[in-house]
Amino acid sequence: MQISKPPMPKYLKQDELTQECKDLLSSLPTESGWVASTFYKYQGFWHPCRHLQGILSCQKHFKAQHSDVILATTPKSGTTWLKAILFALMNRDQYFSKSKNINNHPLKSNNPHVLVPFLEIKLYLDDENPDLSLLKSPRLFSTHMPYVSLPNSVHDSQCKLVYLCRNPKDTLISLWCFTNKLRLEEMGTSSLEEVFEKFCKGVSMYGPFWDHVLGYWGESLKNPEKVLFLKYEDMKEKPTFHLKKLAEFLECPFSFKEEKEKVVEGILELCSFDKLSNLKVNKDGKLPSGEDCSAFFRKGEVGDWKNYLTTEMVERLDKICKDKFDGSGLQF
Ligand code: PAP
């Protein structure tokens, strides 16, 4: 018996594009994609056409507010995890204290992607110009957009950017597994060799990976009060330290009372891979865009690439990364 796959998410479909987007597409360099048939290179990065539609609408219409928090990530770097952590952190007054019942927490019944929507692949894809002005402040959004493609209002406002990336080998394996789940039955699966070649050429969703990372890295050095740069591996190694750092960056540090009441530990426990991945909503639910919630929880480990990549692949990718990150002060 064949297991039926979920329908392709809306953001990967090729139809329903505005004339502006169609005109732009015809002028852009192309490559074959990982799931949708074609990637287009816009402002130096590769996107399926529907992502591009969302990026254009967001660039045109999004008005950042000073109090906004935007989580920016490379795909498959732990976005789902950090969405959960940020949501729990920023809403902790409502749910974390002795008198309150953690079982009512929205993360128990909603996937983090529902609570923290993507700008360009949810809000500005569903609606060219959604009205976000009535959302409660501080608003929390997320994006995979590279730094160069962020809407001007993000630069002009005092909003905060939290950036998360992950070592490129685990990112590649996670992306390969995820995109194979998104491919339609008749497309079959992509081989690791095939996607490895593309990744090395920089051709991946929101790639080149290194340019995405370096864009935010450079800004975090220039403007550390605006951009906080985090790595998945560091979060895994020292979650308490990084959660406290995140709270300080967002100007909502944990009080002595909260520390005593173990709010930091409570948030980390609630957002842990084991807890989130075993919730009914994340085991059986689907996102409005069509993906199974379970697709966002695979292993959640550091170093899973060792189970997949050959020695030659490792050497080649390490060499590319060494060259690309040389002199930046950044290492993976
Ligand atoms: P996205 O970019 O499509 O939103 P994203 O959440 O960034 O996906 O990446 C999913 C990865 O984060 C998966 O990694 P893996 O394929 O190597 O397993 C997923 O397992 C991992 N992940 C999801 N939730 C957590 C969590 N709570 N703690 C740690 N890792 C997690």
Side-chain angles (χ1 to χ4, degrees):
M1 198 183 83
Q2 284 206 318
I3 299 168
S4 68
K5 292 194 176 190
M8 187 181 282
K10 195 175 165 192
Y11 65 80
L12 291 172
K13 291 188 182 160
Q14 310 252 353
D15 46 6
E16 299 168 33
L17 302 175
T18 60
Q19 193 55 46
E20 182 194 12
C21 188
K22 285 182 191 159
D23 292 345
L24 176 68
L25 289 178
S26 62
S27 68
L28 297 177
T30 59
E31 278 277 354
S32 66
W34 288 40
V35 182
S37 54
T38 312
F39 272 150
Y40 297 85
K41 195 173 203 180
Y42 175 64
Q43 298 182 327
F45 292 83
W46 294 104
H47 308 284
C49 59
R50 297 264 314 161
H51 283 196
L52 201 51
Q53 175 72 73
I55 293 172
L56 292 181
S57 301
C58 185
Q59 289 180 332
K60 206 162 157 188
H61 299 292
F62 179 64
K63 298 275 170 292
Q65 296 177 356
H66 293 318
S67 56
D68 285 349
V69 175
I70 302 177
L71 169 65
T73 59
T74 44
K76 312 326 286 182
S77 59
T79 319
T80 314
W81 184 24
L82 208 54
K83 280 187 180 191
I85 288 183
L86 280 169
F87 182 87
L89 173 69
M90 290 169 61
N91 293 286
R92 68 191 193 267
D93 284 353
Q94 272 173 274
Y95 304 101
F96 281 91
S97 86
K98 282 205 170 127
S99 58
K100 297 189 177 148
N101 187 353
I102 187 76
N103 285 326
N104 295 334
H105 200 285
L107 280 165
K108 298 263 180 172
S109 49
N110 295 278
N111 179 273
H113 291 286
V114 171
L115 298 173
V116 186
F118 280 110
L119 288 169
E120 79 286 8
I121 46 178
K122 173 68 187 155
L123 298 171
Y124 287 87
L125 193 58
D126 287 355
D127 186 337
E128 201 201 335
N129 187 9
D131 181 8
L132 309 176
S133 62
L134 296 178
L135 294 179
K136 206 172 100 271
S137 163
R139 306 181 305 178
L140 175 57
F141 300 114
S142 79
T143 184
H144 285 320
M145 275 185 277
Y147 189 79
V148 290
S149 298
L150 292 175
N152 288 338
S153 70
V154 172
H155 304 295
D156 298 341
S157 82
Q158 288 159 19
C159 74
K160 301 257 187 190
L161 288 164
V162 176
Y163 183 71
L164 179 71
C165 61
R166 185 181 191 182
N167 90 63
K169 290 178 285 218
D170 279 334
T171 301
L172 163 66
I173 295 302
S174 186
L175 193 56
W176 173 54
C177 295
F178 181 76
T179 48
N180 268 342
K181 283 187 195 149
L182 295 185
R183 288 168 69 92
L184 297 175
E185 200 68 52
E186 58 268 27
M187 295 163 99
T189 52
S190 308
S191 69
L192 179 55
E193 289 71 21
E194 196 184 319
V195 299
F196 178 81
E197 278 306 318
K198 287 186 174 159
F199 193 84
C200 288
K201 275 170 57 189
V203 181
S204 63
M205 245 185 245
Y206 296 90
F209 169 86
W210 19 88
D211 292 344
H212 200 287
V213 174
L214 284 168
Y216 283 94
W217 173 245
E219 280 311 309
S220 74
L221 297 179
K222 272 193 248 164
N223 205 349
E225 274 162 28
K226 171 110 180 159
V227 185
L228 178 69
F229 187 96
L230 298 170
K231 286 184 191 164
Y232 181 86
E233 295 73 27
D234 295 343
M235 291 280 303
K236 281 288 240 187
E237 197 186 354
K238 288 187 183 166
T240 307
F241 172 81
H242 284 98
L243 176 50
K244 287 186 186 173
K245 191 166 152 185
L246 200 49
E248 276 160 30
F249 173 73
L250 297 179
E251 296 167 21
C252 58
F254 290 98
S255 65
F256 180 66
K257 182 167 168 281
E258 285 179 313
E259 295 222 8
K260 237 176 78 190
E261 288 179 355
K262 303 217 171 294
V263 176
V264 181
E265 290 79 355
I267 291 176
L268 291 172
E269 165 80 3
L270 174 70
C271 302
S272 68
F273 183 86
D274 276 355
K275 275 275 155 24
L276 288 184
S277 63
N278 282 307
L279 292 170
K280 184 164 171 32
V281 62
N282 293 328
K283 282 209 286 204
D284 306 331
K286 275 187 193 297
L287 293 183
S289 44
E291 303 98 323
D292 288 328
C293 294
S294 59
F296 295 91
F297 303 93
R298 193 180 62 92
K299 289 190 180 170
E301 290 167 6
V302 173
D304 188 40
W305 57 266
K306 292 184 187 125
N307 298 315
Y308 296 92
L309 299 177
T310 63
T311 312
E312 293 75 45
M313 285 171 161
V314 173
E315 283 172 3
R316 185 162 155 213
L317 194 47
D318 280 350
K319 166 90 174 65
I320 294 173
C321 289
K322 194 168 171 293
D323 293 347
K324 298 284 181 187
F325 293 117
D326 188 35
S328 69
L330 194 55
Q331 274 187 336
F332 286 96

